[in-house]
Amino acid sequence: MLGLPALLSVLATLVLVLSASCAAARDPLPQLGAAYGPARASADAAAHAHAHAHSATPPTAAAAAAEIREVEANLLALFGLKRRPRPNRSKVVVPEAMMELYRRQAGHPDAPALSLPGKLTRSANTVRSFTHVESNVDATFSGQHRFRLAFDIGSIPQSEKLEAAELQLSRRSAGAGAGPGQRVLVHDVVRPGSRKRGTEPILRLLDSRLVPAAGNASVALDVLPAVLRWRESPRRNHGLLVEVLLEQPEGPGAEAGSEAGAGAGAQARARAPDVLKEAAEAAPRPAPHVRLRRDVDEHVDAWLPKQPVLIAYTDDGKAPSLAGAGRSRRAAPGKKHHKPGKRENCRRYPLYVDFADVGWNDWIVAPPGYDAFYCHGECPFPLSDHLNSTNHAIVQTLMHSVKPSVPQACCVPTHLTSISMLYLDETDKVVLKNYQEMAVLGCGCR
């Protein structure tokens, strides 16, 4: 861990990179020269305080600690967090489904929304995962083929629009020649039943999927209607009831597994709850192929990566519209490093942001860092075409040549791209988010 002076320097430098102004662009320190959301004004103030501290007497330990907290708060605001997450990594397991989503998204850095082929996530740019919340209700289910899953989705901000939601279940292969597959049904528990009152639960079938006995790929079920209802009425969130039935080869449900999905979900919702209950009680009990709950003799550490996961896809409204999100030509990585005192024209320089340097590697799962780059250099008169200048910058440079009181044009980022981050939020929930304008693709005089 870095000491206070070193950490202060790293943090302040990172803030300068993310919120450099035109005046800072002429400073010998590396700057990015772009504004990033509402945190800019406070970040500029923190950078100014940092520069003043270096020119005056060294700050005391208390002043340095206060400045670090202020800088950290500004950076967290840039990431949309109210406070620094402090997760207990020994108790938090990142679902493999979230790691797979991150790996798929990492290959599409220019996409304003999540680029996940095969998933109808629309404009979603944020993914959150939720695991089952244990309760006394769990003990009322004795087998492995029928179980109620409860999820607390209260950490989803109301300002975000829910675009999709799915329940992912892991499974273990029964091997070749294991016989017929299994039918997985997922219900929204609209109203739980009561033994004291003698009332049956009211269930709404959301989706159904036929799973072959061979193979161990996870099963994804559409549960968007349930999660939408929970958001509107949190007190009526009674969880999901999942049933696993042994598929009968000659029965009406022996169609190919391709019927699953939206069509199967619509057909499933048309079946009455009492019919489903009778089918569940009459059907043979399948082997625990699809995993709904931990085995009695299974260690907790072995079960956690396999437990059911609810995945919610949301749109925070901060991504640019798909219509206006034109792809920018990727600039060649800068090989030269800025040398203080040497006058060079405006161009892009390498800058790698390492999250371990600022002590954030305990809550940022991936990536360990990223190439942010920065823009630096002179905008001399006359401005050349390769400096990617605007007409206003050309006129301003011309006026500066005849009237020095007019400031020169500034070297700033003209094209930026997004990065995807997988991290743990303040409530220890695993989040995958696409952050816009985090890395420089091109520089110019503006």
Side-chain angles (χ1 to χ4, degrees):
M1 195 65 186
L2 298 175
L4 284 178
L7 181 58
L8 173 61
S9 177
V10 171
L11 284 171
T13 301
L14 182 56
V15 172
L16 288 171
V17 167
L18 294 175
S19 60
S21 62
C22 182
R26 292 189 292 270
D27 190 85
L29 289 175
Q31 311 296 334
L32 185 60
Y36 287 89
R40 181 185 183 186
S42 54
D44 287 342
H48 177 75
H50 173 72
H52 178 73
H54 277 274
S55 62
T57 58
T60 63
E67 189 170 3
I68 289 175
R69 288 193 296 268
E70 182 181 0
V71 172
E72 186 176 61
N74 291 329
L75 292 173
L76 291 173
L78 185 148
F79 293 127
L81 299 172
K82 295 180 180 179
R83 64 179 184 274
R84 182 191 187 282
R86 298 187 182 277
N88 186 345
R89 292 298 295 270
S90 62
K91 296 183 179 180
V92 178
V93 176
V94 179
E96 178 58 32
M98 294 294 287
M99 291 298 302
E100 178 62 25
L101 288 175
Y102 169 76
R103 286 190 287 265
R104 293 172 64 180
Q105 178 60 20
H108 302 273
D110 295 331
L114 294 172
S115 180
L116 302 172
K119 294 184 182 294
L120 189 61
T121 56
R122 300 180 179 87
S123 61
N125 59 3
T126 306
V127 186
R128 290 179 177 84
S129 64
F130 305 88
T131 55
H132 170 60
V133 179
E134 297 181 352
S135 68
N136 295 333
V137 179
D138 298 355
T140 62
F141 296 88
S142 57
Q144 297 280 355
H145 65 283
R146 193 169 186 266
F147 192 63
R148 191 214 64 158
L149 297 170
F151 301 97
D152 181 7
I153 63 167
S155 61
I156 302 179
Q158 286 296 326
S159 59
E160 297 186 7
K161 180 183 179 183
L162 184 66
E163 296 286 5
E166 64 181 12
L167 175 66
Q168 289 217 1
L169 304 174
S170 64
R171 61 192 181 109
R172 50 190 170 197
S173 176
Q182 297 176 358
R183 171 72 62 180
V184 183
L185 310 173
V186 57
H187 316 261
D188 178 14
V189 182
V190 179
R191 189 186 71 184
S194 174
R195 293 183 178 179
K196 294 181 180 180
R197 300 178 181 177
T199 58
E200 294 292 331
I202 298 178
L203 306 176
R204 180 189 183 190
L205 189 58
L206 301 172
D207 203 356
S208 170
R209 186 170 292 272
L210 178 61
V211 181
N216 58 359
S218 61
V219 182
L221 299 153
D222 180 15
V223 295
L224 177 61
V227 181
L228 285 172
R229 188 178 68 84
W230 299 346
R231 294 194 75 192
E232 294 178 358
S233 304
R235 294 184 178 181
R236 297 183 179 180
N237 178 0
H238 305 297
L240 302 171
L241 180 66
V242 185
E243 294 179 298
V244 183
L245 309 178
L246 188 63
E247 185 70 10
Q248 300 299 318
E250 298 179 356
E255 296 84 6
S258 60
E259 73 166 2
Q267 296 174 8
R269 295 185 184 102
R271 301 176 62 184
D274 55 344
V275 176
L276 294 174
K277 181 182 177 183
E278 293 174 2
E281 293 175 349
R285 298 296 185 240
H289 170 51
V290 178
R291 306 299 309 278
L292 301 182
R293 62 192 306 185
R294 182 169 64 94
D295 293 334
V296 177
D297 57 348
E298 187 175 14
H299 195 275
V300 176
D301 292 342
W303 164 246
L304 289 179
K306 307 172 186 175
Q307 62 182 327
V309 179
L310 174 66
I311 300 179
Y313 302 83
T314 61
D315 179 4
D316 63 5
K318 298 179 180 179
S321 62
L322 294 175
R327 291 183 179 271
S328 302
R329 182 177 60 86
R330 183 174 297 275
K335 297 181 179 180
K336 296 181 180 180
H337 291 271
H338 170 64
K339 297 179 181 180
K342 185 178 180 180
R343 299 170 63 91
E344 295 185 1
N345 288 346
C346 177
R347 64 181 304 272
R348 190 179 75 153
Y349 291 88
L351 174 64
Y352 182 77
V353 178
D354 192 334
F355 295 126
D357 287 345
V358 293
W360 285 4
N361 56 324
D362 60 336
W363 61 275
I364 296 181
V365 179
Y370 78 101
D371 290 305
F373 300 101
Y374 70 94
C375 297
H376 185 80
E378 298 289 333
C379 294
F381 175 79
L383 291 177
S384 304
D385 292 339
H386 73 274
L387 293 179
N388 193 17
S389 307
T390 61
N391 292 335
H392 181 274
I394 295 174
V395 173
Q396 182 175 337
T397 304
L398 173 63
M399 292 302 299
H400 173 77
S401 64
V402 297
K403 191 176 182 181
S405 60
V406 177
Q408 282 185 311
C410 304
C411 180
V412 297
T414 55
H415 299 291
L416 299 107
T417 188
S418 61
I419 66 168
S420 294
M421 281 179 49
L422 186 66
Y423 63 91
L424 304 175
D425 66 8
E426 303 98 323
T427 60
D428 288 355
K429 296 295 188 296
V430 183
V431 180
L432 170 63
K433 196 171 184 67
N434 194 29
Y435 288 99
Q436 298 296 312
E437 300 183 339
M438 292 291 291
V440 177
L441 288 181
C443 303
C445 292
R446 299 294 164 92

